[in-house]
Amino acid sequence: MSDTGKSVPNIQKILHRKDLKRSIKYQMGEVIIEKIIFMIGITAIVILGLIFYYLVSTGLNVFREVSLSEFFLSIGWFPVSVNPKYGTVPLIVGSLIVTFGAVLISVPIGIGSAIFISEVAPSKTRTVLKVIIEFLSAVPSVVLGFLGIVVLSNWVRIVFSISTGFTAFTGAILVSLMALPTIISISDDAIAAVPKDYRDASLALGATKWETIWHVLVPAASSGIIAAVMLGVGRAIGETMAVLMVTGNAAQIPDTMFTSVRTMTATIAAEMGDTVRNDTHYFALFAIGSMLLFMTTIINTIADYVVSRGKREGR
Amino acid sequence: MSKKFKEKLAFAVLALITMCVVIPALFILLYIIYNGIGTISWEFIFASPRKGMTEGGIFPAIVGTMSLILGTITFALPLGVGTAIYLVEYAKKNLLTKFISLAILNLAGVPSVVYGLFGLGLFVLLLGFGSSILSGALTLSCLILPIIIKSSEAAIRSVPDLYREASLALGATKWQTIYKVVLPTAMPGIITGAILGIGRAAGETAAVLLTVAAFFLPRLPSSIMDQVMVLSYHLYIISSQVPGMPDAVKNGTALVLLGVVAIFFFTATFVRIKYKLANRG
Amino acid sequence: MTKVSVTRLNLHYEEFHALKDVSLDIKDKEVTALIGPSGCGKSTFLRTINRMNDLIDNVKIEGEIKLEDQDIYKKEVDVAQLRRRVGMVFQKPNPFPKSIYENVAYGPRRYGIKAKTHLNEIVERSLKKAAIWDEVKDRLHKPALSLSGGQQQRLCIARALAMEPEVLLMDEPTASLDPIATARIEELINELKKEYAIIIVTHSMQQAARISDKTAFFLMGEIVEKGKTKEIFTVPKDKRTEGYITGRFG
């Protein structure tokens, strides 16, 4: 060692000694840690698998008492009457009509805002807008439901001059507010991910910024935008508190958007407290939960597929 | 119509559309602050409710929400970050790993009321924890687990391989590399995701309604097996289940709940912005 | 004295035969340059010497690599300790997002050296050896990422030297640096070869000619020619070597 003075310890010797000590200790430690991490990873996955198994296996019990055709096809949901009926059609229709209304509102607004935020707004405005939209996604649904009761339902009642403001339409507006942040942030990501070359190529050909956005960027980001809409739909179907609080909760098949409905989610939240463990009503609510689980899983899987296919084809 | 005019028109329409999101968001914030601020007082925060919840404060609900948050952090954070480490650093790139990732992605989209059902069936009834902080915290942990896994996974994945190689090439072991280089570098991302997840748990209602929340319980919990009042559930019952509630109590409760959630949200936003700035400089 | 001795090394990556029957002896206190076109296997070869290829799935290695008289691919070998003895510097400077001091102290800390006085000595000595001490001694606790690219690379060299390695692997260490920073690194390599066996992968013929004692020319996973740098660059025996060298010079 050229510059080893007398006061400098021989590091190589120290390291060598430590090497020998470390060899056994650390190799064992490493194996143990790897095992622990593996166990943790598996635990989380087991929990997640358990959710599927538990819901479905509990829910299936409903068919010991209720026929498949009654559960899925009949239109009477009277679980607590003397002669109980477990037809889920009104609940499914209720969920679908609120979701449909919410999608009708949130998709055009969501995609439009995403384009504005990612392409039109100046950078500082963009940051502020993004924070506002993320804030909207953080607002608890019960707070939205509260505002739905004290503000929105009154507006709906007055504007459309109907007897009650607790309607599917009121629910759809609130649910659209919950789906919007999902749609906006994912569409925004998709538009931002379009390679800069596309933009430059179009602008260099003399197209305006708007023409570039409309004819190049939006088509190029289409798979991401479709996925955003799908995930927004998933969010809307699963929304519970806001719809429970403002849709009036009548388990009926509505003829317009301006009547009361009851969604699948609201049914579970409202009725679970009245059930007895392991009675038919209890099982029926688990079966509805399983249906929700399947619906959102299918929607999410399709969204994931659309995104990965889009990536493969470079769209 | 000239090209330039068409563009201006289009941008104006887009700006208008964006306002349709911004105005409701700001309205929610301002309405709740404006109407609720008058109710906030020392008594409202630190006293128990009286006279059928029409007077007094909401202290038990605040304590209930806080204990749920603490419990959820205890379960979900180590489990979520550990799973993310497993997925990024240890799991082989095979079909099983791909399936696991897809499962986690899907579970992030499962409705909270479904998690509530699961928690009710498994923790409250089958395992016999009853309606308790423990059941509620476990249920909320399941609910935010996918969020924490996903955000931690993204944060860990974004750590450049250069750092891992440098550490390994110096003779550090794999775990030393993860613990001393990868995790510190990924920390701001992990923290941001965790805070957002916990904020979500703080405002969650459907899941706690089925597993822990008490309608009216004007005393503080003494153990994790106790039932508690919860802010979000409290707002739900006083605004839609109990007729004749004074507006002041409802508005005040809404403000406190939104305030708790906002603290988490703005902390996460702050961490994120600060981290981005630090990265640039 | 031979420091590293490679005998009939074959490396398969899935279906791809990346290294074919490679044999090479590396002497202590010399600089060995590995040259050849992109994808010829020279970097892959470099990474077999500290087993960095272990990190990639589906890699199969046959043959023998000896560090002094220990076969480094034997089962009982602790890979972490092997990597401590065989230091590596990468193509792109890769300091950790920590302070300058912490970057150098990182390796020794992982080996349980905790005493502040020891660490201070190691840091100072390593930074001096890497010829960067004078530039950073007043800001040891500033972030390493605030240094220039050339300084970052010398810091990475100091970080490797802190482990008192016996062999130093350098994977195109000047590829991302400007000519002035490159010259400083080359000077440094000249200094360092007094103490270490250095193996350097380089794209630049001039660099290989300037700093190395021995050269090995890789093509399609094989060593086409190896020997004294002077001889290879003046009287190459193989047509392909000649073509490569003259092509690059011309």
Side-chain angles (χ1 to χ4, degrees), chain C residues 33-227:
Chain C
L34 311 179
I35 61 170
S38 298
C40 66
K42 55 193 191 303
S43 281
T44 308
F45 174 72
L46 192 75
R47 283 165 169 257
T48 56
I49 300 172
N50 65 346
R51 293 187 59 173
M52 287 300 271
N53 287 321
D54 289 18
L55 305 179
I56 307 163
D57 294 338
N58 304 321
V59 167
K60 212 173 80 206
I61 292 170
E62 293 149 3
E64 189 184 69
I65 301 182
K66 276 188 165 173
L67 177 61
E68 292 185 330
D69 32 340
Q70 185 187 26
D71 183 347
I72 64 168
Y73 279 93
K74 275 246 171 69
K75 253 201 177 145
E76 64 268 20
V77 169
D78 179 345
V79 181
Q81 285 188 34
L82 166 74
R83 292 187 187 139
R84 182 186 78 58
R85 295 175 63 194
V86 182
M88 185 164 191
V89 178
F90 295 82
Q91 187 169 350
K92 210 169 160 263
N94 58 353
F96 301 123
K98 300 171 186 277
S99 71
I100 294 167
Y101 183 97
E102 283 305 320
N103 262 282
V104 183
Y106 177 86
R109 277 191 203 278
R110 301 290 80 76
Y111 278 77
I113 296 181
K114 290 193 192 85
K116 199 80 189 150
T117 47
H118 279 184
L119 284 174
N120 289 345
E121 272 161 16
I122 295 174
V123 169
E124 180 173 344
R125 189 162 56 159
S126 310
L127 289 169
K128 274 182 177 159
K129 275 191 188 172
I132 190 181
W133 171 252
D134 291 333
E135 292 156 64
V136 300
K137 65 180 173 203
D138 300 324
R139 45 174 178 151
L140 288 177
H141 297 283
K142 292 267 152 55
L145 294 170
S146 65
L147 297 172
S148 72
Q151 289 174 322
Q152 287 189 11
Q153 193 62 301
R154 275 179 285 141
L155 175 65
C156 291
I157 294 174
R159 185 174 64 184
L161 296 181
M163 301 307 288
E164 301 281 359
E166 298 156 45
V167 181
L168 204 51
L169 309 177
M170 300 184 137
D171 190 357
E172 299 190 40
T174 59
S176 62
L177 303 182
D178 63 64
I180 296 169
T182 301
R184 297 209 58 173
I185 302 266
E186 288 181 8
E187 244 170 74
L188 177 59
I189 292 172
N190 248 321
E191 237 356 85
L192 292 172
K193 79 168 183 185
K194 290 173 188 160
E195 284 182 50
Y196 307 96
I198 297 177
I199 310 172
I200 178 168
V201 167
T202 177
H203 260 303
S204 152
M205 294 306 104
Q206 292 96 324
Q207 185 169 63
R210 275 197 302 266
I211 60 173
S212 70
D213 303 290
K214 301 278 171 60
T215 295
F217 173 53
F218 278 76
L219 195 65
M220 317 267 286
E222 284 176 282
I223 293 187
V224 171
E225 192 166 350
K226 58 190 173 190

Side-chain angles (χ1 to χ4, degrees), chain B residues 18-269:
Chain B
T18 309
M19 284 299 118
C20 296
V21 191
V22 171
I23 289 172
L26 293 179
F27 175 83
I28 292 166
L29 186 64
L30 296 178
Y31 181 94
I32 302 265
I33 292 176
Y34 178 78
N35 288 289
I37 199 82
T39 313
I40 302 300
S41 65
W42 189 262
E43 194 203 358
F44 189 70
I45 307 278
F46 291 105
S48 283
R50 289 191 313 268
K51 296 197 179 159
M53 300 187 279
T54 56
E55 279 178 32
I58 53 170
F59 191 55
I62 295 176
V63 171
T65 293
M66 290 302 164
S67 47
L68 278 178
I69 290 173
L70 266 180
T72 307
I73 292 173
T74 316
F75 295 120
L77 205 54
L79 208 53
V81 177
T83 306
I85 295 175
Y86 168 72
L87 286 174
V88 181
E89 304 286 341
Y90 289 99
K92 297 231 157 47
K93 277 202 186 76
N94 55 23
L95 214 63
L96 178 71
T97 308
K98 212 179 155 199
F99 174 75
I100 291 168
S101 298
L102 185 67
I104 291 168
L105 192 82
N106 272 316
L107 282 157
V110 169
S112 60
V113 70
V114 173
Y115 281 101
L117 264 188
F118 171 71
L120 170 74
L122 186 68
F123 302 128
V124 177
L125 299 175
L126 195 66
L127 297 178
F129 298 156
S131 236
S132 63
I133 297 175
L134 181 63
S135 298
L138 285 171
T139 308
L140 288 177
S141 298
C142 292
L143 177 80
I144 66 167
L145 203 50
I147 303 175
I148 294 187
I149 294 175
K150 265 171 52 180
S151 59
S152 305
E153 197 186 340
I156 295 172
R157 232 178 258 290
S158 72
V159 175
D161 271 342
L162 288 172
Y163 293 166
R164 293 187 182 83
E165 287 190 335
S167 171
L168 292 169
L170 286 168
T173 61
K174 185 165 187 173
W175 174 247
Q176 288 176 331
T177 301
I178 294 170
Y179 189 66
K180 291 290 178 181
V181 176
V182 177
L183 287 185
T185 313
M187 206 38 89
I190 293 176
I191 289 176
T192 314
I195 296 173
L196 287 177
I198 291 157
R200 168 103 193 266
E204 176 52 42
T205 313
V208 297
L209 167 159
L210 296 172
T211 54
V212 47
F215 187 81
F216 178 63
L217 192 71
R219 60 182 168 78
L220 301 183
S222 56
S223 86
I224 55 165
M225 301 311 281
D226 281 359
Q227 211 176 359
V228 281
M229 292 176 80
V230 182
L231 270 178
S232 55
Y233 180 63
H234 189 64
L235 177 61
Y236 163 63
I237 53 168
I238 62 175
S239 62
S240 73
Q241 300 296 298
V242 185
M245 266 290 168
D247 282 346
V249 175
K250 294 193 258 184
N251 287 325
T253 308
L255 178 57
V256 173
L257 174 61
L258 193 66
V260 170
V261 172
I263 288 171
F264 283 105
F265 173 76
F266 286 109
T267 311
T269 308

Side-chain angles (χ1 to χ4, degrees), chain A residues 91-158:
Chain A
L91 313 180
I92 297 173
V93 171
S95 276
L96 291 183
I97 195 162
V98 171
T99 303
F100 179 72
V103 166
L104 227 51
I105 300 167
S106 59
V107 167
I109 295 181
I111 296 176
S113 319
I115 295 174
F116 184 79
I117 289 169
S118 68
E119 292 298 322
V120 184
S123 126
K124 269 192 185 148
T125 316
R126 172 164 53 227
T127 312
V128 174
L129 288 175
K130 277 190 155 181
V131 170
I132 291 175
I133 280 152
E134 277 165 21
F135 171 75
L136 185 60
S137 79
V139 173
S141 68
V142 67
V143 170
L144 281 179
F146 167 68
L147 287 172
I149 292 175
V150 295
V151 181
L152 188 65
S153 62
N154 291 326
W155 290 355
V156 170
R157 182 169 48 82
I158 293 161

Side-chain angles (χ1 to χ4, degrees), chain A residues 1-4 7-9 11-12 14-16 18-19 22-23 26-27, chain C residues 78 80-81 84 110-113 118 121-122 125 129 162-164 166 195:
Chain A
M1 217 113 308
S2 59
D3 61 344
T4 307
S7 70
V8 179
I11 301 299
Q12 188 139 23
I14 295 179
L15 281 176
H16 188 68
K18 302 254 181 190
D19 265 6
R22 206 180 88 138
S23 185
Y26 279 61
Q27 272 185 353
Chain C
D78 179 345
Q81 285 188 34
R84 182 186 78 58
R110 301 290 80 76
Y111 278 77
I113 296 181
H118 279 184
E121 272 161 16
I122 295 174
R125 189 162 56 159
K129 275 191 188 172
M163 301 307 288
E164 301 281 359
E166 298 156 45
E195 284 182 50

